[in-house]
Amino acid sequence: MSLTDKAIAQIRQLIASGALPPGSKLPPEQELASQLGLSRNLAREAVKALAVARVLEVRRGDGTYVTSLQASLLLEGLGGAVELLQGDPGAVLDLMEVRRLLEPAATALAVARLSSEGLAEVKRHLDAMREASGDVERLNAHDAAFHRAIVSVTGNESLIALLEGISGRTLRARIWRGLVDTRAAGRTLAEHEGIYAALAARDAALAHAAALLHVANTEQWLREHLRSAETPGGDTSAAGPVGESRS
């Protein structure tokens, strides 16, 4: 562990112990360094790193504060990390596997917490998907919003942030799918209608099954396409790296 890592750990320990609760202001840099037995440079580097991680917020002319430490804020960086994995086929498949584990469970959980307004929001995006059937990018934008609306119903901020980081960043892969497979839009729409029907019926088991079918179909398609692309002479003309559209 580097000296900077140790400095970061010391500040995190102050936060975890409650000595620096959410919203509190850190001591001035020199005082903080002295308190932790660090050089000012180490204290400054540690603060910068924790600010990037959204643990701390540096307010110019005012000082440095501990953020709200809400899951949606702390996990915000996940999407950026996932973005860096988009060129690695194995990593993309790993992400799809994680999505397959989490999203059906979140969809089933949403059933018990779904209000009429929440269901109407899901239907709004489903209707928009029907209308956008000829526009792949618009279709996929509402595809992502459809799932986001469902997961938001759970009220579980950690789950929402995790799935947004994973599913939101696989949007380009779904666009790519639509570009190279002309049947994908119709299948995707039918799968979403199945999920909505299960939600409207307030059937958690059916909602789980419908969401699992949808994610598993996408994952299976991606696996098969990647195998085809690895085969000499395989057709990769529709896309560049995994998840990157050339449109």
Side-chain angles (χ1 to χ4, degrees), residues 2-5 7-8 11 37-47:
S2 69
L3 292 176
T4 301
D5 288 337
I8 291 170
I11 297 176
L38 304 170
S39 68
R40 290 187 66 175
N41 281 341
L42 275 177
R44 187 179 304 120
E45 289 303 312
V47 166

Side-chain angles (χ1 to χ4, degrees), residues 7 13 20 81 101 106 138 200 226:
Q13 180 55 36
L20 288 173
L101 292 169
R138 191 164 156 237
L226 288 172

Side-chain angles (χ1 to χ4, degrees), residues 40 52 57 184:
R40 290 187 66 175
V52 170
E57 178 187 2

Side-chain angles (χ1 to χ4, degrees), residues 114-162:
L114 188 63
S115 65
S116 298
E117 292 77 11
L119 185 63
E121 177 68 5
V122 175
K123 187 176 186 299
R124 183 173 74 82
H125 291 295
L126 178 61
D127 290 342
M129 288 175 68
R130 292 192 189 104
E131 295 171 3
S133 59
D135 184 337
V136 175
E137 292 196 23
R138 191 164 156 237
L139 171 66
N140 282 286
H142 284 289
D143 178 351
F146 175 92
H147 293 289
R148 190 180 305 117
I150 293 172
V151 179
S152 295
V153 168
T154 68
N156 185 318
E157 291 296 329
S158 295
L159 185 59
I160 293 168
L162 282 170

Side-chain angles (χ1 to χ4, degrees), residues 34-181:
S34 177
Q35 180 182 337
L36 297 177
L38 304 170
S39 68
R40 290 187 66 175
N41 281 341
L42 275 177
R44 187 179 304 120
E45 289 303 312
V47 166
K48 286 181 180 177
L50 289 170
V52 170
R54 310 304 296 272
V55 174
L56 299 178
E57 178 187 2
V58 179
R59 303 176 187 172
R60 289 187 178 181
D62 187 14
T64 301
Y65 291 79
V66 179
T67 66
S68 65
L69 301 180
Q70 292 179 340
S72 57
L73 185 64
L74 296 180
L75 292 173
E76 196 175 83
L78 175 63
V82 168
E83 185 74 14
L84 297 177
L85 301 174
Q86 291 290 325
D88 181 349
V92 172
L93 289 174
D94 285 347
L95 291 171
M96 290 299 295
E97 191 172 76
V98 173
R99 184 184 170 203
R100 174 160 50 85
L101 292 169
L102 294 179
E103 194 163 294
T107 304
L109 179 61
V111 170
R113 304 176 182 180
L114 188 63
S115 65
S116 298
E117 292 77 11
L119 185 63
E121 177 68 5
V122 175
K123 187 176 186 299
R124 183 173 74 82
H125 291 295
L126 178 61
D127 290 342
M129 288 175 68
R130 292 192 189 104
E131 295 171 3
S133 59
D135 184 337
V136 175
E137 292 196 23
R138 191 164 156 237
L139 171 66
N140 282 286
H142 284 289
D143 178 351
F146 175 92
H147 293 289
R148 190 180 305 117
I150 293 172
V151 179
S152 295
V153 168
T154 68
N156 185 318
E157 291 296 329
S158 295
L159 185 59
I160 293 168
L162 282 170
L163 278 170
E164 180 64 20
I166 295 168
S167 299
R169 301 293 175 162
T170 57
L171 176 60
R172 289 185 301 171
R174 292 199 294 272
I175 293 175
W176 182 37
R177 178 188 182 190
L179 289 171
V180 300
D181 182 352

